[in-house]
């Protein structure tokens, strides 16, 4: 049986239509990946020991890039930011705009009051049992400073070995330099967990 011209045209158009649908699907998928990867979330690899005992060198995490478009960072949150040396750092927010911050050994004062740091409690207790300070580094005592507007004062959890806002090489972190909030550790598999922000995010 011979095909009509219309049937032949339809048979030829079918593969083209299917190819077009595949192209559309792939473009849509790439668009989703772009939005998620570049606009909403970003991977980050911990480099160094400045956030021990809570984050280890080589751990991979997902950084939420959207949250600080909706609100400002809060004390206790773990953030990733671009440091003056041009490298992304991971630290914990201690002082918000207008806060007065000082460090006296193992105690951090904000606006004249010692803050509770549950994410360091185990290390602080271990040091106290040994009769030594946990924060025994170069900046174990840091005089009171006032956090400027549109900036943060940040500290590493590994206080004796952290290059953070106490260092003149880092200083206050401008909001414009914040990449986002570290929310999930996804590698290695044995370390998968939500990031502990010290409960301050509910404030």
């Amino acid at each position: 049986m011979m095909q009509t011209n219309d049937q032949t045209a339809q048979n030829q158009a079918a593969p083209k239509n299917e190819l077009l649908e595949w192209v559309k699907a792939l473009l849509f998928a790439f668009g989703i990946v772009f939005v998620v990867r570049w606009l909403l979330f970003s991977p980050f690899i911990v480099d160094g020991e400045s956030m021990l005992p809570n984050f280890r060198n080589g751990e991979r995490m997902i950084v939420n890039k959207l949250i600080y478009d909706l609100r400002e960072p809060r004390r206790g949150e773990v953030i990733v930011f671009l440091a003056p040396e041009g490298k992304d750092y991971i630290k914990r927010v201690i002082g918000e705009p207008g806060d007065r911050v000082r460090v006296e050994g193992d105690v951090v004062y904000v606006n004249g009051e010692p803050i509770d740091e549950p994410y360091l409690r185990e290390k602080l207790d271990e040091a106290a049992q040994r009769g030594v300070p946990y924060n025994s580094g170069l900046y174990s005592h840091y005089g009171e400073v006032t956090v400027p507007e549109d900036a943060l004062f940040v500290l590493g959890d590994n206080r004796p070995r952290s290059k953070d806002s106490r260092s003149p090489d880092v200083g206050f972190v401008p909001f414009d330099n914040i990449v986002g909030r570290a929310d999930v550790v996804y590698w290695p598999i044995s370390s998968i967990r939500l990031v502990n922000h010290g409960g301050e995010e509910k404030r």
Side-chain angles (χ1 to χ4, degrees):
M1 182 180 296
M2 297 184 61
Q3 291 183 327
T4 65
N5 290 339
D6 288 343
Q7 290 174 322
T8 301
Q10 289 176 358
N11 291 339
Q12 292 176 343
K16 293 180 180 179
N17 290 337
E18 185 175 349
L19 179 60
L20 182 60
E21 291 303 315
W22 272 105
V23 170
K24 288 180 179 179
L26 288 173
L27 288 175
F28 179 77
F30 283 129
I32 293 296
V33 170
F34 175 81
V35 169
V36 171
R37 169 64 177 83
W38 296 107
L39 301 182
L40 301 181
F41 303 97
S42 178
F44 176 78
I45 302 176
V46 178
D47 181 14
E49 301 180 344
S50 72
M51 287 297 285
L52 287 173
N54 297 304
F55 303 96
R56 300 186 179 280
N57 184 50
E59 285 188 329
R60 297 171 183 260
M61 58 182 58
I62 294 173
V63 176
N64 183 338
K65 299 170 69 174
L66 177 65
I67 187 168
Y68 297 138
D69 289 332
L70 305 176
R71 64 164 176 80
E72 294 185 355
R74 297 171 180 170
R75 187 176 308 121
E77 292 184 332
V78 178
I79 65 169
V80 172
F81 64 93
L82 180 64
E85 66 181 66
K87 179 181 177 181
D88 284 345
Y89 277 19
I90 178 171
K91 305 294 177 186
R92 196 178 295 272
V93 177
I94 298 297
E96 302 173 46
D99 282 344
R100 293 176 289 106
V101 181
R102 77 177 191 272
V103 180
E104 294 185 5
D106 291 342
V107 182
V108 177
Y109 293 85
V110 176
N111 299 324
E113 298 292 332
I115 64 171
D116 182 33
E117 299 190 90
Y119 39 84
L120 291 183
R121 188 166 295 133
E122 184 175 346
K123 285 295 182 181
L124 292 171
D125 289 346
E126 288 177 1
Q129 289 175 2
R130 297 197 307 270
V132 297
Y134 173 61
N135 183 10
S136 57
L138 177 62
Y139 299 110
S140 59
H141 288 76
Y142 187 82
E144 186 172 272
V145 294
T146 300
V147 184
E149 292 300 316
D150 298 321
L152 300 170
F153 185 95
V154 299
L155 293 176
D157 288 351
N158 189 2
R159 298 289 156 77
R161 301 177 61 85
S162 175
K163 188 177 181 182
D164 46 42
S165 286
R166 296 171 294 177
S167 167
D169 294 334
V170 179
F172 300 113
V173 178
F175 281 5
D176 289 344
N177 288 7
I178 299 173
V179 176
R181 187 177 77 170
D183 275 353
V184 180
V185 176
Y186 67 89
W187 189 264
I189 293 177
S190 59
S191 297
I192 290 177
R193 64 190 185 278
L194 297 177
V195 171
N196 175 13
H197 294 289
E200 289 290 331
E201 70 272 22
K202 295 180 181 178
R203 208 159 35 106

